[in-house]
Amino acid sequence: EIVKDAAGKLRIELESALSMGLGNTPMSQAEVVVTSGNYVRAKPLGIIDGVDFKFTGVVRSVQVDAINAKLWANEIVLIPPVGYSITGESFNMEAKALAAEVAAALNADKLIFLMESPALKDAHKGVVRQLTRHEAEQLLQSPYPDAQRLQSCLGLAVQACAAGVQRVHLIDRSVEGALMRELFSRDGVGTMISSTSYDAMRQATVQDIPGIMELITPLEKQGILIHRSREKLELEIDNYTVMLRDDVIIGCGSLFVFPKEKAAEIACLAIHPDYHNSGRGEQLYSTLVQIAKRAKIKRIFVLTTHTAHWFLQLGFKESTLDELPVERKQLYNYQRKSKILVRDV
């Protein structure tokens, strides 16, 4: 009865809050419709280790079609932590577990947990921004204190991702504006567990040119990269690979092949400043090397004025102009005096 009273009271408060049309805000004169009902079929948890959990239940099924009909009608569906059995009984349900089950049944894009405890932290006390499902599973099996502290949410996140939910967000509800900041900033304020890697790598298309230009223009102004016009990028776009984070370009690089010499040049390798020292430059470089290997390339080279040390760490060695393919040698800019670095593939 206590659970019923609490769920009923909270439902009324939520419906009341969502009925407000605040003046001078986007919610002014808004007509938000909230619906609730017996969308969740439940079954008793039963007797575990000799303890009868009586009216505590777990999900038997979710009325997906009924919920989707309301969502398509632009209604907000409110699902309290109460389920109903086919015999007419009502069962108290654990809210987070219920949310994971409903999200999986609806094949939801996102599941968000607003937690009462601080977010998942790494060894340096910084918030862990992203984990794949596989990484979260490994973390759960480790003795890491934060993983044990958030075991329930992490476990449900893994379960939801395995069932088809694309992303699960764990957010500390005490952070000011946490939900808005998590959803509308690139890296958010909490931890996101994704069913697959959040970063994607693919060959660039002409539609990517604005994003590439936005990324490389500041580096061109600093003299780190040579200027590339939009027309030049359009002509050479098939040589480019882009790295995306949530469909935003955060890295790019190009590979120009010289088949006669079985050589290739890596050029225009750039990572957004927000992701420096994150290993993404090495990931992008490795992808370009794999492309070179598939093209039967034996040797790769770079021309650089600012990042020679980084390439030396990757196994490159300083070389001379004579090592370049004839076609590339003719285009060498003597004013920039770029260092020439070479390595075998």
Side-chain angles (χ1 to χ4, degrees):
E1 294 299 324
I2 294 175
V3 173
K4 291 179 182 178
D5 289 344
K9 179 181 179 182
L10 186 58
R11 173 187 169 183
I12 292 171
E13 290 177 353
L14 286 171
E15 290 177 348
S16 176
L18 290 168
S19 297
M20 290 191 298
L22 301 177
N24 299 319
T25 75
M27 289 298 294
S28 179
Q29 306 301 317
E31 294 292 337
V32 178
V33 177
V34 183
T35 185
S36 187
N38 60 340
Y39 297 121
V40 177
R41 292 281 183 264
K43 59 183 179 182
L45 182 59
I47 300 173
I48 300 177
D49 295 332
V51 178
D52 187 350
F53 283 81
K54 296 184 179 180
F55 291 104
T56 297
V58 292
V59 174
R60 180 187 293 273
S61 64
V62 178
Q63 306 302 311
V64 174
D65 290 342
I67 293 173
N68 279 331
K70 296 297 183 182
L71 295 176
W72 280 110
N74 293 320
E75 298 180 17
I76 294 176
V77 179
L78 182 62
I79 299 179
V82 177
Y84 306 92
S85 72
I86 56 176
T87 57
E89 297 171 298
S90 56
F91 289 92
N92 170 37
M93 308 185 76
E94 204 277 315
K96 293 194 294 290
L98 174 60
E101 292 275 5
V102 173
L106 293 173
N107 197 26
D109 291 330
K110 288 180 182 287
L111 169 62
I112 300 172
F113 289 125
L114 289 172
M115 306 183 301
E116 298 293 337
S117 57
L120 183 67
K121 302 292 182 65
D122 59 23
H124 303 290
K125 305 301 180 183
V127 175
V128 177
R129 299 297 184 191
Q130 174 195 346
L131 293 169
T132 63
R133 183 186 66 161
H134 179 65
E135 290 169 337
E137 287 175 334
Q138 291 180 320
L139 194 59
L140 280 170
Q141 295 169 9
S142 75
Y144 189 64
D146 256 21
Q148 300 305 310
R149 176 174 60 84
L150 299 175
Q151 186 174 30
S152 174
C153 286
L154 271 175
L156 290 170
V158 169
Q159 172 189 318
C161 286
V165 178
Q166 295 300 306
R167 298 171 187 169
V168 181
H169 299 257
L170 311 182
I171 311 173
D172 178 0
R173 65 177 296 273
S174 66
V175 175
E176 183 72 24
L179 183 59
M180 298 294 285
R181 291 166 63 186
E182 178 70 13
L183 295 179
F184 296 106
S185 63
R186 186 180 297 158
D187 293 312
V189 295
T191 300
M192 185 191 72
I193 295 91
S194 57
S195 56
T196 57
S197 176
Y198 192 33
D199 294 343
M201 203 99 67
R202 61 167 171 78
Q203 183 179 344
T205 67
V206 290
Q207 287 75 27
D208 296 319
I209 290 176
I212 293 174
M213 294 186 70
E214 183 178 347
L215 180 66
I216 67 175
T217 296
L219 299 175
E220 292 174 351
K221 291 180 178 178
Q222 296 172 43
I224 297 173
L225 295 177
I226 61 170
H227 174 69
R228 292 167 173 82
S229 66
R230 185 184 185 94
E231 291 75 16
K232 184 175 177 64
L233 286 172
E234 288 179 358
L235 290 171
E236 298 177 345
I237 195 65
D238 289 344
N239 298 313
Y240 280 76
T241 296
V242 289
M243 175 183 282
L244 302 100
R245 183 174 176 82
D246 202 18
D247 295 326
V248 175
I249 293 175
I250 63 169
C252 71
S254 60
L255 186 78
F256 294 91
V257 174
F258 299 86
K260 184 178 179 181
E261 294 87 351
K262 292 187 177 181
E265 178 184 7
I266 290 178
C268 198
L269 186 60
I271 299 294
H272 191 282
D274 289 350
Y275 302 99
H276 286 178
N277 303 315
S278 67
R280 287 178 172 84
E282 289 82 355
Q283 292 174 29
L284 188 51
Y285 163 76
S286 295
T287 298
L288 295 172
V289 170
Q290 292 305 312
I291 295 171
K293 287 181 177 179
R294 291 196 293 270
K296 309 298 183 183
I297 296 302
K298 301 298 183 183
R299 186 166 51 96
I300 53 177
F301 63 90
V302 296
L303 278 73
T304 180
T305 56
H306 287 72
T307 56
H309 187 70
W310 186 78
F311 282 106
L312 289 170
Q313 290 178 321
L314 293 174
F316 283 79
K317 295 181 179 179
E318 289 197 39
S319 187
T320 64
L321 194 61
D322 293 333
E323 290 289 317
L324 297 183
V326 174
E327 183 183 347
R328 185 63 182 89
K329 190 187 304 183
Q330 293 171 349
L331 298 173
Y332 183 79
N333 187 330
Y334 287 91
Q335 290 184 328
R336 281 180 63 83
K337 297 182 180 179
S338 299
K339 286 189 176 182
I340 299 169
L341 305 174
V342 178
R343 67 160 293 175
D344 294 333
V345 175

